[in-house]
Amino acid sequence: MEFFRIKKDIPFMRHVLVFNIVSIILFVLSVFFLATKGLNLSVEFTGGTVMQVQYPQAPNLEQVRESISAMGYREVQVQNIGTSRDVLIRLPVQEGLTSDQQSTQVLAELQKSAPEAQLLRTEFVGPQVGDELTEQGLLALGFVALGITIYLALRFEWKFGVAAIVANLHDVVIILGFFSFFQWEFSLAVLAGVLAVFGYSVNEVVVIFDRVREMFRKQRKMTTAQVLDHAITSTMSRTVITHASTEAMVLCMLFFGGPSLHYFALALTIGIVFGVYSSIFVGSGLVLWMGVKREDLVKPQKTEIDPNDPNAGAVV
């Protein structure tokens, strides 16, 4: 299905240098902010107190969150668990306070507006658990990157695998750079969103690279830049349909999904936008600069020599 058809190829490769300079600047800034400011890690990574409070009737989660934030807690997590009357609260570690003291103070603050609220349980999540989650998250990201590189190298050619993995890592680092610069909370849900973007972005790269291979087989006189322009232009309608529908769903989660899905949807939103951008200008640009040519994808066919042909083996 095509939404529209572009008859004349758009010269993307003519402007690839400018956009790659922009990508390098964004990438360097993201690395700088990650190195200097770091990520605002959530309770799952840093450790903290988890408490479950039961109300006589369903409370307003936003009011609960505002009451706890007024006590000096930043980015506190408040969500329903089990029923609409049970609320799970995640509190970051505060110096000078034990887990029991934190839960007692928070419960006292909540009972000012809801005297019948009861504390069902309280737990302390130690930083050792956070270290394990961080290590496992980085390992997951590394295995995904390795798997994508091997897949593209086997399906196309090693230069395509390198270009695709650089483009996808570009997206991941920029997402992390946004979270570092604005100090948005980085939770396990956000990590899941980053991994989802990593796998989602490679889909667009595969579609473009597959069209590149097809065009190399059909058009022998086109240059690599012309083949890339044609491949990107011919898949533009599919790109708009796929990513616009996905982005519409993600924006619904961003605006209407509540605080528990906000940063997850935000990571996906940034990732989808930069995923399309990097597939066109970063991945395809690297393919162009690494000198991919027709012979890399289309192996020359060997012709059999007829021994009865008097002209066989003659040099023209």
Side-chain angles (χ1 to χ4, degrees):
M1 184 179 68
E2 285 188 331
F3 211 40
F4 54 85
R5 177 173 294 183
I6 303 174
K7 296 182 179 179
K8 186 178 180 180
D9 293 342
I10 303 173
F12 291 103
M13 296 300 102
R14 184 185 303 171
H15 310 287
V16 70
L17 178 60
V18 175
F19 285 101
N20 273 255
I21 292 174
V22 174
S23 293
I24 292 173
I25 293 173
L26 289 175
F27 187 89
V28 171
L29 286 175
S30 298
V31 173
F32 172 77
F33 290 130
L34 286 170
T36 55
K37 301 181 69 173
L39 291 170
N40 179 21
L41 299 175
S42 66
V43 174
E44 294 100 336
F45 294 101
T46 61
T49 301
V50 177
M51 54 186 298
Q52 182 177 348
V53 179
Q54 187 178 69
Y55 286 80
Q57 46 188 305
N60 186 324
L61 296 184
E62 188 59 34
Q63 291 181 356
V64 174
R65 189 176 295 105
E66 290 177 357
S67 299
I68 300 176
S69 297
M71 299 175 63
Y73 289 98
R74 288 187 56 197
E75 304 292 346
V76 61
Q77 298 181 26
V78 179
Q79 62 189 78
N80 287 117
I81 178 173
T83 67
S84 59
R85 297 187 301 113
D86 294 329
V87 178
L88 187 70
I89 303 171
R90 299 178 185 269
L91 304 172
V93 176
Q94 277 200 345
E95 295 184 5
L97 292 178
T98 65
S99 178
D100 291 337
Q101 289 173 336
Q102 280 185 289
S103 59
T104 301
Q105 291 179 2
V106 170
L107 181 63
E109 181 66 26
L110 297 178
Q111 287 179 338
K112 291 180 180 179
S113 56
E116 297 181 359
Q118 298 180 352
L119 179 65
L120 297 184
R121 66 182 177 92
T122 179
E123 298 176 1
F124 176 74
V125 181
Q128 181 61 35
V129 177
D131 292 340
E132 293 176 1
L133 290 173
T134 303
E135 181 181 352
Q136 292 171 4
L138 293 175
L139 282 175
L141 185 60
F143 280 124
V144 170
L146 180 62
I148 290 174
T149 304
I150 294 174
Y151 165 72
L152 290 176
L154 292 175
R155 178 168 179 179
F156 298 100
E157 208 260 346
W158 70 268
K159 296 176 184 177
F160 286 88
V162 172
I165 204 65
V166 170
N168 288 327
L169 286 175
H170 161 275
D171 301 338
V172 170
V173 172
I174 287 180
I175 293 173
L176 297 178
F178 271 96
F179 273 80
S180 176
F181 178 75
F182 292 104
Q183 285 296 290
W184 295 328
E185 185 183 47
F186 190 87
S187 63
L188 281 178
V190 177
L191 176 61
V194 171
L195 293 176
V197 167
F198 201 89
Y200 180 83
S201 297
V202 75
N203 180 58
E204 182 68 21
V205 176
V206 169
V207 171
I208 293 176
F209 287 174
D210 192 58
R211 187 59 60 91
V212 169
R213 180 171 57 182
E214 178 185 343
M215 291 306 301
F216 270 132
R217 289 174 177 171
K218 291 181 178 180
Q219 303 291 338
R220 299 186 176 217
K221 296 182 180 180
M222 293 178 68
T223 65
T224 302
Q226 290 173 333
V227 168
L228 288 168
D229 287 337
H230 182 80
I232 298 170
T233 303
S234 60
T235 58
M236 188 60 63
S237 177
R238 174 255 173 210
T239 299
V240 171
I241 294 173
T242 303
H243 294 286
S245 57
T246 306
E247 190 66 45
M249 179 272 295
V250 172
L251 288 175
C252 288
M253 287 196 298
L254 180 64
F255 293 115
F256 307 110
S260 59
L261 292 177
H262 180 76
Y263 291 119
F264 169 74
L266 192 58
L268 288 177
T269 301
I270 299 171
I272 291 173
V273 173
F274 278 95
V276 177
Y277 166 83
S278 65
S279 300
I280 296 174
F281 294 108
V282 179
S284 300
L286 286 173
V287 166
L288 178 65
W289 288 339
M290 285 191 293
V292 173
K293 51 188 182 297
R294 183 177 184 273
E295 289 74 14
D296 293 331
L297 296 173
V298 182
K299 303 301 180 183
Q301 296 181 352
K302 296 181 179 179
T303 56
E304 296 183 359
I305 300 176
D306 187 356
N308 297 322
D309 187 355
N311 296 321
V315 178
V316 179

